[in-house]
Amino acid sequence: MIYVGIDVAKDKHDCFITNSDGEVLFKPFSISNNREGFENLFQRIESVSDDLAKVKVGLEATGHYSYNLLGFLLDKGLTTYVINPLHTNLYRKSLSLRKTKTDKVDFRTIATMIMSDMNLKSYSDTSYHNEELKSLTRYRFDKVKERAKLKSSVSRLVCILFPELEKLVPTLHMASVYALLSEFPSAHAVSSAHLTRLSNLLSESSKGHYGKDTAVIFREAARSSIGSHMPAKSLELKHTIMLIQELTTEIDEIELAIKSIMDSLHSPILSIPGISYRMGAMIIAEIGDFNRFDSADRLLAYAGMSPSTYQSGQLDGSHSHMEKRGSRYLRYALYNSTKYVCQWDESFAAYLAKKRAEGKHYNVALSHAAKKLVRLIYAMEKSGQSYSKKA
């Protein structure tokens, strides 16, 4: 077998090639992060092995810096391992008590790890192409978070400019209210607005739900409002609403792309009551290839939902907290999905109620339900079967 260890960086990658006997086939060398560098690496690999099935390549998970090289290696049919830097660090420390952290140590450590067959799972083509879904779901997550901050700004500005408005509508964040505030961004502006224009604006933006009566109520409230007349704040409110509307358009476009990918995957996860395209896509994207995990427990550990273990002598940490390692996006999607699944599915609702009856805090009980959900998703994805209440 031939083993290739690669330490990934932004502009260049340091490489090391050895064989099963520990013989160094190529002294440590660097390749540029471009097509020429990639081809140079592949030519060296081909020169020492006629059978690419006997070649194993390992590199650290370094985010976007390794993505292009990983795609190149997979396209060439090479068995490739993407190793968590935490594992590399722990393995390096296990080999020596000295604190050594250099590029030469890193690529040798990676090659040694895949040579020692530490139950590592090779990176599949499925996982690589799953990166597009992961990119979209994380992008959506950040956009929604950004929009939420802007909505808080709207609430703050309305409290200054027209505080009475919030009590007159179900929520400030609706199309009719945004249309009103975009044209009349203060109580002063609403109070001086022509009633016909105000009525037409509300009727059009609410699709007939609001009309002249509502316009009269708004204008009367504006005329007796304690809101401040601050043109600068009014301008800020108008621009904030514009940004929210732009973000909403972008989020809608992202969600269409996510739905298209999910439809092509035919994942059984969407058959679980309470799991939507958005949360289902985030779970699938963050987990990637389910074949990487030998059991649901390994998946739980990957999600950072396994309890940490501390035992020494007679001391046993029986009330240990969850590890909370791994993808925070995955934990977010799992916990939010679990809340809805417990509402829509009787078996999960009963399980949550049982844990609550045992005296567990709601969040702790929910974490147990989330683990149950992970095991269910794992079984469904491995079998390809849709959800049934007997599952």
Side-chain angles (χ1 to χ4, degrees):
M1 291 294 295
I2 306 298
Y3 301 96
V4 183
I6 304 175
D7 184 64
V8 176
K10 181 180 180 180
D11 298 318
K12 66 180 181 65
H13 309 308
D14 296 311
C15 310
F16 175 71
I17 304 178
T18 184
N19 61 17
S20 303
D21 298 324
E23 180 186 355
V24 178
L25 303 180
F26 275 101
K27 291 183 178 180
F29 62 94
S30 297
I31 60 170
S32 302
N33 188 23
N34 53 33
R35 173 67 65 176
E36 183 181 352
F38 292 179
E39 293 292 351
N40 179 21
L41 171 63
F42 186 67
Q43 287 171 9
R44 296 196 187 203
I45 293 172
E46 280 189 315
S47 69
V48 295
S49 177
D50 296 329
D51 185 3
L52 294 182
K54 294 183 178 180
V55 178
K56 291 184 177 181
V57 184
L59 49 93
E60 277 189 336
T62 53
H64 60 282
Y65 290 138
S66 62
Y67 190 72
N68 294 329
L69 177 59
L70 176 61
F72 174 84
L73 295 171
L74 291 174
D75 288 342
K76 292 294 185 180
L78 291 165
T79 302
T80 308
Y81 299 82
V82 179
I83 305 171
N84 189 319
L86 178 65
H87 292 165
T88 309
N89 187 39
L90 292 173
Y91 187 77
R92 182 175 61 247
K93 288 179 179 178
S94 72
L95 298 177
S96 173
L97 294 176
R98 297 180 61 192
K99 296 182 71 173
T100 53
K101 171 66 172 79
T102 67
D103 293 343
K104 290 183 179 179
V105 172
D106 281 346
F107 55 64
R108 285 179 183 270
T109 301
I110 294 168
T112 306
M113 285 182 73
I114 56 176
M115 188 188 303
S116 61
D117 193 21
M118 299 176 56
N119 198 28
L120 297 171
K121 296 291 184 181
S122 61
Y123 203 85
S124 67
D125 191 61
T126 301
S127 295
Y128 178 75
H129 292 292
N130 191 66
E131 289 292 330
E132 185 175 4
L133 185 60
K134 182 190 289 187
S135 177
L136 284 170
T137 53
R138 290 190 175 188
Y139 185 46
R140 179 194 170 277
F141 180 89
D142 292 337
K143 288 291 183 182
V144 170
K145 194 173 181 180
E146 185 180 347
R147 185 176 63 179
K149 289 182 179 179
L150 291 174
K151 286 185 176 182
S152 295
S153 295
V154 168
S155 299
R156 173 180 58 84
L157 292 167
V158 170
C159 188
I160 297 170
L161 298 167
F162 191 1
E164 295 80 8
L165 179 61
E166 191 168 9
K167 295 181 179 179
L168 300 176
V169 292
T171 173
L172 292 175
H173 310 292
M174 48 195 294
S176 53
V177 175
Y178 279 0
L180 171 71
L181 295 175
S182 294
E183 189 165 337
F184 305 105
S186 68
H188 178 77
V190 174
S191 65
S192 58
H194 195 283
L195 186 59
T196 302
R197 174 57 193 150
L198 204 57
S199 301
N200 290 339
L201 176 66
L202 290 171
S203 179
E204 291 171 8
S205 58
S206 67
K207 297 181 180 180
H209 185 69
Y210 293 142
K212 183 178 180 181
D213 293 341
T214 305
V216 171
I217 293 172
F218 284 0
R219 194 168 69 166
E220 290 301 316
R223 286 177 175 175
S224 60
S225 174
I226 60 170
S228 303
H229 177 48
M230 302 175 67
K233 295 292 184 186
S234 296
L235 184 63
E236 183 183 348
L237 178 59
K238 286 177 64 175
H239 288 182
T240 302
I241 291 172
M242 287 173 58
L243 288 172
I244 289 173
Q245 291 171 335
E246 289 175 6
L247 278 171
T248 300
T249 301
E250 291 174 9
I251 290 169
D252 290 342
E253 188 175 352
I254 296 168
E255 289 179 352
L256 279 175
I258 289 173
K259 185 177 184 300
S260 176
I261 294 175
M262 285 297 288
D263 287 340
S264 67
L265 293 177
H266 304 291
S267 172
I269 194 173
L270 296 177
S271 65
I272 301 175
I275 294 188
S276 63
Y277 273 97
R278 291 173 291 185
M279 290 299 104
M282 185 171 280
I283 293 170
I284 295 298
E286 293 299 324
I287 293 174
D289 188 356
F290 280 79
N291 291 321
R292 293 188 298 150
F293 307 97
D294 295 329
S295 65
D297 287 338
R298 289 189 178 275
L299 179 54
L300 283 168
Y302 176 78
M305 296 174 68
S306 294
S308 57
T309 303
Y310 185 87
Q311 191 275 329
S312 179
Q314 294 181 348
L315 178 62
D316 189 0
S318 57
H319 299 284
S320 51
H321 297 283
M322 284 193 304
E323 292 178 334
K324 289 191 177 179
R325 289 179 175 176
S327 170
R328 64 186 178 94
Y329 298 98
L330 178 55
R331 284 194 299 278
Y332 166 84
L334 287 170
Y335 275 105
N336 276 274
S337 296
T338 303
K339 289 178 183 178
Y340 290 104
V341 172
C342 287
Q343 290 179 15
W344 288 93
D345 183 79
E346 294 177 1
S347 63
F348 274 89
Y351 185 76
L352 181 66
K354 176 190 172 189
K355 291 299 177 182
R356 292 285 284 140
E358 292 173 2
K360 289 180 169 48
H361 186 276
Y362 173 78
N363 289 337
V364 176
L366 190 68
S367 71
H368 283 278
K371 292 176 184 177
K372 177 181 170 71
L373 179 61
V374 170
R375 291 188 176 94
L376 172 65
I377 292 171
Y378 179 81
M380 290 172 57
E381 289 291 335
K382 294 289 279 187
S383 65
Q385 295 180 353
S386 297
Y387 176 74
S388 66
K389 289 187 178 182
K390 295 180 181 180

